Amino acid sequence: MRGDYGHTRDDYTVDQDWEKYSPAEHALWRELYQRQSAILPGLAAEDFIANLARMDAAGGIPQFDKISEQLFAATGWRLVAVPGLVPDDAFFNHLANRRFPVTVWLRKPEEIDYLVEPDIFHDFFGHVPMLFDPVFADYLAAYGAKGEEAIKHGSLKQLARLYWYMVEFGLIKTTDGLRAYGAGMLSSKSETLYCLSDPRPNRIGFALERVMRTDYKIDDFQKTYFVLESYQQLFEATLQDFENLYARLASLPVIPSTGVLESDRVYHFGNEGYAFDGAG
């Protein structure tokens, strides 16, 4: 894992040390920000675009404490600096208490188009705008509160799929068509374009069990994207009893990332997809 873990606190937070960012790092941030924000109109959800603008972070790497003041006033969330990826229990605890972990390091210039681990640009540009949405912010806190139970029941994989597909790579239906709000694609120029315009991936209506059964890849564009009717739909789905859900999921087969079920609401059938031979 990248990042300096030598000065972490018990909750895996660190000081941002904003003054230590170099002029070159601020310049790279501006390049990433300008390049990505330029392609958002017509592809990203309008609330994502509006919330990104209200943070006024185009000029350089943002200071977390200043953005936290805005964010707390809007939805009760704060940003906490972390060295990189943190253990599951620490991550869930932060979310449940409305603290969003943001990595402090920035990618190198040669990584501008692809990065394996999340950096400050992914975490801030991709995730923080949605934390200004009251319903989505409530969903993410409710999601975090599910972590302890998932660990107890050995069901982290199922819960992680909900985060992967609906926080990192979620789409939402709007009056203007499908729009992206997920951090994974909106912090990536190529996947922002791919997720809505490419004919290869499936675009399927959200259903909680369907999402939590669906496999995914971390080193390639997604083969399937799930589409919300509203953020309220996602929030309400997260309020149900997951303990019984985990027991039910344990008896059902995992759905391949390219799979399409007869029961799916299909917005677009990708040309890499295939009908899943099973009970659904």
Side-chain angles (χ1 to χ4, degrees):
M1 291 192 300
R2 288 169 65 171
D4 179 7
Y5 289 79
H7 300 90
T8 59
R9 304 181 182 93
D10 290 343
D11 62 358
Y12 284 85
T13 61
V14 296
D15 294 326
Q16 186 187 12
D17 287 334
W18 184 85
E19 297 80 7
K20 292 185 178 179
Y21 293 114
S22 68
E25 287 175 313
H26 285 291
L28 178 58
W29 173 276
R30 289 192 293 271
E31 182 180 355
L32 284 163
Y33 193 104
Q34 291 164 8
R35 185 177 79 158
Q36 196 62 20
S37 59
I39 66 171
L40 296 184
L43 296 174
E46 288 298 326
D47 46 355
F48 180 96
I49 295 173
N51 290 332
L52 182 67
R54 73 190 287 184
M55 294 189 295
D56 192 25
I61 296 172
Q63 293 177 264
F64 294 170
D65 55 350
K66 292 183 177 180
I67 301 301
S68 285
E69 292 178 5
Q70 284 183 270
L71 189 56
F72 187 79
T75 60
W77 278 77
R78 295 189 184 278
L79 307 183
V80 292
V82 293
L85 296 170
V86 300
D88 293 325
D89 56 348
F91 180 69
F92 287 124
N93 183 265
H94 282 307
L95 295 187
N97 289 282
R98 294 182 179 256
R99 299 185 300 262
F100 192 81
V102 180
T103 301
V104 294
W105 56 266
L106 180 65
R107 68 192 70 186
K108 298 182 183 301
E110 60 269 24
E111 299 172 308
I112 192 169
D113 289 319
Y114 179 74
L115 192 68
V116 176
E117 293 183 48
D119 68 343
I120 186 174
F121 184 75
H122 166 84
D123 285 346
F124 186 92
F125 187 99
H127 283 287
V128 178
M130 290 307 302
L131 294 175
F132 281 90
D133 182 279
V135 178
F136 191 86
D138 285 349
Y139 154 72
L140 200 56
Y143 175 89
K146 298 287 189 182
E148 184 177 356
E149 180 182 61
I151 293 172
K152 174 184 174 183
H153 289 281
S155 300
L156 273 177
K157 185 175 292 186
Q158 289 84 354
L159 189 62
R161 290 171 184 150
L162 183 61
Y163 190 91
W164 183 264
Y165 278 116
M166 304 318 302
V167 178
E168 294 288 358
F169 295 100
L171 301 178
I172 189 165
K173 180 182 177 182
T174 76
T175 55
D176 297 316
L178 302 187
R179 293 292 184 267
Y181 70 85
M185 76 268 278
L186 291 181
S187 59
S188 163
K189 178 181 179 181
S190 51
E191 191 149 6
T192 299
L193 299 171
Y194 168 89
C195 72
L196 289 170
S197 61
D198 198 286
R200 286 173 290 179
N202 303 310
R203 302 176 186 97
I204 294 171
F206 170 79
L208 182 65
E209 287 193 22
R210 171 67 160 98
V211 170
M212 295 176 77
R213 289 176 57 196
T214 305
D215 202 6
Y216 62 81
K217 296 181 180 295
I218 64 171
D219 57 355
D220 197 0
F221 288 166
Q222 301 310 299
K223 307 302 182 185
T224 293
Y225 297 94
F226 290 98
V227 181
L228 289 176
E229 295 283 335
S230 67
Y231 302 126
Q232 186 69 29
Q233 179 190 23
L234 182 59
F235 174 59
E236 291 177 358
T238 310
L239 295 181
Q240 66 180 273
D241 176 14
F242 275 25
E243 186 169 4
N244 290 332
L245 175 60
Y246 292 142
R248 189 161 61 252
L249 291 176
S251 66
L252 297 172
V254 173
I255 302 169
S257 60
T258 52
V260 178
L261 307 183
E262 290 183 3
S263 57
D264 286 338
R265 177 179 181 182
V266 179
Y267 288 87
H268 173 77
F269 188 91
N271 58 23
E272 286 190 349
Y274 59 88
F276 180 69
D277 236 348

